[in-house]
Amino acid sequence: MGRMSRNKGKRGEREAAKELNRLFGLEARRAQQYCGEAGDADLIGIEGIHVEVKRVERFCLHPSLEQADSDRKAGETPLVLTRQNGKSWVACCYLNDLPKVMDHLHSESVSLWWKKAVAEAREQMSVEDRREHDAMMKMITDGKEKGEDNGGQ
């Protein structure tokens, strides 16, 4: 693969991550710069989804889905993002996987939104209120780790 082709692929991965982040409020990013192992997803930061990015003019649907499916880790759902020059991004997955893809994207989006909202609220708290909040969160976390469920009481 030539340098220009590699650079186009890298740009495509960054563009795809930016679009997912814009659409779903995610924190997806290019994986190659963090781990770089063959078979890894092109984008990371979306729990449960193996994302392959194809920035090509001649997209081969089934071979691309098959690559994503064979490269994915157990429990991950394959998703392929592709774009041709001057065209919009297209997402491809197996129809049976569509509900899982949507669920993962929604869950990840809500989780990040909640973490940001909690962090912003925590910034507004006094030092004493932060200590109380942290202690309460520790009790909740410790209870979940022990498998305790008090039924919301």
Side-chain angles (χ1 to χ4, degrees), residues 13-120:
E13 290 168 2
R14 287 190 291 269
E15 289 173 16
K18 186 176 178 179
E19 280 300 294
L20 286 174
N21 295 343
R22 180 184 68 81
L23 290 169
F24 296 99
L26 303 174
E27 293 179 351
R29 62 190 180 277
R30 190 171 167 261
Q32 193 71 17
Q33 58 201 6
Y34 295 96
C35 48
E37 295 179 17
D40 284 341
D42 290 337
L43 301 182
I44 56 176
I46 309 170
E47 189 70 32
I49 298 181
H50 179 94
V51 181
E52 287 291 329
V53 177
K54 301 295 182 188
R55 185 63 177 79
V56 295
E57 293 306 303
R58 293 186 178 191
F59 177 64
C60 299
L61 175 64
H62 287 284
S64 297
L65 279 170
E66 289 165 4
Q67 177 192 351
D69 194 32
S70 67
D71 287 352
R72 70 185 173 90
K73 294 179 174 78
E76 289 183 329
T77 304
L79 175 67
V80 177
L81 302 176
T82 184
R83 185 172 87 77
Q84 293 176 330
N85 289 338
K87 306 285 184 182
S88 297
W89 281 98
V90 176
C92 306
C93 66
Y94 295 110
L95 187 57
N96 286 339
D97 288 340
L98 187 57
K100 287 187 266 183
V101 168
M102 295 308 298
D103 185 50
H104 285 298
L105 289 172
H106 176 72
S107 296
E108 192 71 20
S109 179
V110 169
S111 175
L112 286 170
W113 174 85
W114 180 251
K115 288 176 186 175
K116 288 176 184 176
V118 168
E120 288 173 9

Side-chain angles (χ1 to χ4, degrees), residues 121-148:
R122 193 173 183 281
E123 288 296 315
Q124 303 300 318
M125 292 179 186
S126 67
V127 173
E128 185 177 319
D129 286 343
R130 279 190 210 160
R131 285 189 193 122
E132 190 175 320
H133 173 264
D134 291 346
M136 185 171 48
M137 292 307 292
K138 183 168 175 23
M139 285 179 11
I140 291 168
T141 303
D142 289 348
K144 285 182 182 178
E145 289 173 0
K146 291 178 185 175
E148 297 173 3

